[in-house]
């Protein structure tokens, strides 16, 4: 890769049709591979690919993040504070909301179309070698996410960056990102999700996720269920790593509702940080911020050096978490939230109650096939809201009729209506909400659905709240 190049070079090519077409061709090639819904529990193919490329995953130190909910929000906060401290950052998150280049970010910006296409062309011959070796041994070629991970490492090395913030795709131990050795391993709350892949209990899921802990790492964890915490404690002991847990080593001291989000105070690993403006809603985001602060403290000063106030304030003041309790339209209000499991739904309902003042809600709701529909519905139903059931544009989407039947059994037929197309569901929901300023539309149940709703809102110029 060309060290002299800048991943978001001299000019911004995002409006250049040729570069955009080249980047879209990269995404099409990724989609031709085994999809993200069917990850393979293996590391050897990814390790072989990066080895052929000269180990780009070792070009910069890594902060590695796993958990069930809050991974992307926490990753973005960590990255923003690292950038505020003067470091050049690389960030890998998943999934994307609108364009796949959102997943690979350099210094806080989605990677340019030109850079992603150029790096793709450079790694293609090496991907072909690995694919041929896999097929020769009777294995499936590199998957979508394995290939994306290799591409991201190549882009970060090409930039180059000073530090990589790396969010796992699924699990941890066998996730393709785990070819990297995280200097800091970060755990957001662990709960039930992806049981078919990760295990049917919190203990089993935590064991899979604990695989990102490498020898002598700094481990930073949100508050966890007892079963998950025991697993992390055992893993930290086995790897001779240090474990810092929210509520003990660090904590949220205060969270107050403020215009556009909240004011928080946090006790970190090495000091206190007061009255930080966090432009995100929900107590869970305050807790994500506390985890992020502790992670940055662990990375920059081994947890023993207090961060400069401006690093925390400047970093968190620009923290963004698209698709998470985000208002994408006003008059009437439309809020999107990527809650796709019961734990995420709990955070959504709590935040709607604490940070907003609506009397009536309608949930535009669609899920993927492997999700706990009844568990999510049980939580959302506590809000008293009604449901317009639709589906995300995904081959993994759960049938509208199935979801409607589950919701009807949970909340009654008078609170549930099926609308096959998302745009029709949004039109109907907005028409209902427009009848009163105390009504709102909440789009939730699937990250894919949220991304589609955001694209529709932008295309129709609904305006922001």
């Amino acid at each position: 890769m060309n060290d002299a190049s800048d991943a978001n070079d001299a000019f911004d090519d995002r409006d250049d049709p040729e570069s955009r077409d080249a980047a879209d061709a990269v995404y099409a090639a990724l989609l031709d591979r085994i999809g993200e819904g069917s990850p393979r529990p293996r590391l050897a193919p990814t390790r072989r690919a990066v080895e052929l490329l000269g180990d780009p995953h070792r070009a910069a130190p890594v902060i590695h993040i796993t958990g069930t909910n809050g991974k992307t929000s926490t990753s973005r906060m960590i990255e923003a504070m690292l950038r505020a401290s003067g470091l050049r950052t690389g960030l890998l998150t998943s999934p994307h909301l609108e364009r796949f280049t959102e997943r690979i970010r350099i210094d806080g910006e989605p990677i340019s179309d030109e850079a992603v296409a150029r790096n793709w062309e450079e790694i293609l011959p090496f991907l072909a070698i690995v694919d041929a070796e896999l097929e020769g041994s009777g294995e499936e070629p590199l998957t979508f996410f394995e290939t994306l991970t290799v591409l991201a490492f190549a882009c970060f090395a090409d930039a180059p960056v000073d530090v990589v913030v790396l969010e796992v795709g699924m699990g941890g131990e066998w996730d393709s990102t785990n070819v990297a050795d995280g200097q800091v391993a970060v755990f957001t709350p662990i709960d039930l999700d992806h049981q078919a892949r990760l295990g049917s209990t919190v203990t089993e899921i935590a064991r899979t996720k604990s695989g990102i802990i490498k020898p002598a790492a700094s481990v930073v964890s949100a508050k966890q269920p007892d079963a998950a915490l025991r697993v992390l404690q055992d893993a930290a002991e086995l790897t001779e790593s240090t474990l810092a847990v929210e509520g003990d080593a660090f904590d949220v001291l205060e969270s107050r509702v403020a215009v556009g989000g909240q004011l928080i105070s946090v006790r970190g690993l090495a000091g206190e940080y007061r009255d930080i403006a966090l432009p995100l809603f929900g107590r869970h985001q305050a807790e994500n911020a506390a985890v992020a602060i502790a992670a940055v403290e662990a990375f920059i000063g081994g947890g023993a050096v207090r961060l400069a106030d401006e690093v925390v304030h400047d970093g968190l003041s620009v923290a963004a978490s698209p698709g998470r309790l985000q208002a994408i339209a006003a008059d009437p209000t439309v809020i999107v939230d990527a809650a796709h499991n019961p734990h995420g739904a709990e955070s959504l309902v709590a935040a709607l109650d604490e940070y907003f003042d609506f009397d009536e809600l309608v949930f535009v709701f669609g899920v993927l096939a492997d999700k706990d529909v009844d568990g999510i519905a049980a939580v959302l139903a506590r809000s008293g809201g009604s449901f317009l059931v639709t589906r995300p544009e995904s081959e993994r989407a759960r049938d509208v009729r199935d979801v409607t039947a589950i919701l009807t059994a949970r909340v009654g037929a008078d609170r549930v209506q099926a609308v096959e197309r998302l745009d029709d569901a949004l039109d109907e929901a907005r028409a209902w909400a427009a009848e009163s300023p105390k009504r709102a539309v909440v789009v939730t149940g699937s990250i894919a659905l949220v991304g589609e709703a955001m694209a529709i809102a932008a295309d129709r110029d609904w305006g922001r709240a």
Side-chain angles (χ1 to χ4, degrees), residues 59-85:
V62 169
I63 300 176
H64 206 176
I65 300 163
T66 189
T68 301
N69 290 303
K71 295 189 297 295
T72 300
S73 297
T74 305
S75 297
R76 283 174 169 268
M77 293 182 203
I78 291 170
E79 184 277 333
M81 284 186 283
L82 291 170
R83 189 158 28 94
S85 72

Side-chain angles (χ1 to χ4, degrees), residues 11 20 146 178 204 241 245 251 263 288 306 396 436:
F11 65 96
R20 188 179 180 91
E146 288 171 334
N178 205 31
E204 290 174 326
S241 299
V245 181
D251 208 355
L263 280 176
N288 289 339
R306 185 182 185 280
R396 297 163 54 206
S436 168

Side-chain angles (χ1 to χ4, degrees), residues 116-132:
V116 80
R118 171 169 45 78
N119 278 284
W120 175 256
E121 289 299 321
E122 292 185 4
I123 70 172
L124 264 180
F126 303 97
L127 299 178
I129 291 171
V130 178
D131 285 340

Side-chain angles (χ1 to χ4, degrees), residues 115-330:
V116 80
R118 171 169 45 78
N119 278 284
W120 175 256
E121 289 299 321
E122 292 185 4
I123 70 172
L124 264 180
F126 303 97
L127 299 178
I129 291 171
V130 178
D131 285 340
E133 291 175 351
L134 288 169
E135 290 169 358
S137 60
E139 291 190 64
E140 293 161 324
L142 290 162
T143 67
F144 175 107
F145 194 74
E146 288 171 334
T147 308
L148 177 70
T149 302
V150 174
L151 175 61
F153 285 134
C155 292
F156 296 147
D158 177 64
V161 300
D162 299 318
V163 56
V164 171
V165 181
L166 199 60
E167 178 190 330
V168 303
M170 185 183 294
E173 179 182 14
W174 44 259
D175 185 80
S176 59
T177 62
N178 205 31
V179 298
D181 293 329
Q183 180 175 319
V184 180
V186 181
F187 293 84
T188 63
I190 297 171
D191 211 304
L192 296 175
D193 200 10
H194 299 297
Q195 288 96 312
R197 301 282 175 183
L198 304 181
S200 59
T201 67
V202 168
T203 297
E204 290 174 326
I205 292 171
R207 283 180 184 144
T208 300
K209 293 182 184 294
S210 70
I212 72 166
I213 300 176
K214 302 300 171 63
S218 295
V219 183
V220 174
S221 175
K223 294 174 183 175
Q224 302 290 357
D226 289 344
L229 182 58
R230 284 193 294 270
V231 170
L232 298 186
Q233 289 169 332
D234 290 345
E237 183 176 349
L238 285 170
T239 56
E240 298 183 334
S241 299
T242 60
L243 173 62
V245 181
E246 180 189 357
D248 179 15
F250 63 95
D251 208 355
V252 177
L253 299 176
E254 186 180 23
S255 169
R256 308 194 308 274
V257 176
V259 175
Q262 55 190 305
L263 280 176
I264 66 171
S265 294
V266 171
R267 172 171 57 84
L269 298 177
E272 292 187 0
Y273 309 90
R274 293 279 178 178
D275 296 325
I276 307 159
L278 182 66
L280 302 170
F281 297 103
R283 170 76 185 193
H284 63 291
Q285 293 289 18
E287 294 181 352
N288 289 339
V291 172
I293 289 170
V296 176
E297 287 178 313
F299 178 78
I300 290 179
V305 179
R306 185 182 185 280
L307 301 175
D309 284 328
E310 57 267 25
V311 166
V312 176
H313 286 266
D314 292 352
L316 293 184
S317 70
V318 299
S321 190
R324 278 78 178 175
L325 271 169
Q326 179 182 356
I328 61 169

Side-chain angles (χ1 to χ4, degrees), residues 359-382:
D359 291 339
E360 296 179 276
L361 300 170
V362 61
F363 293 98
V364 176
F365 185 72
V367 298
L368 300 185
D370 61 344
K371 298 305 177 181
D372 180 5
V373 178
D374 189 59
I376 300 170
V379 176
L380 297 182
R382 298 204 302 260

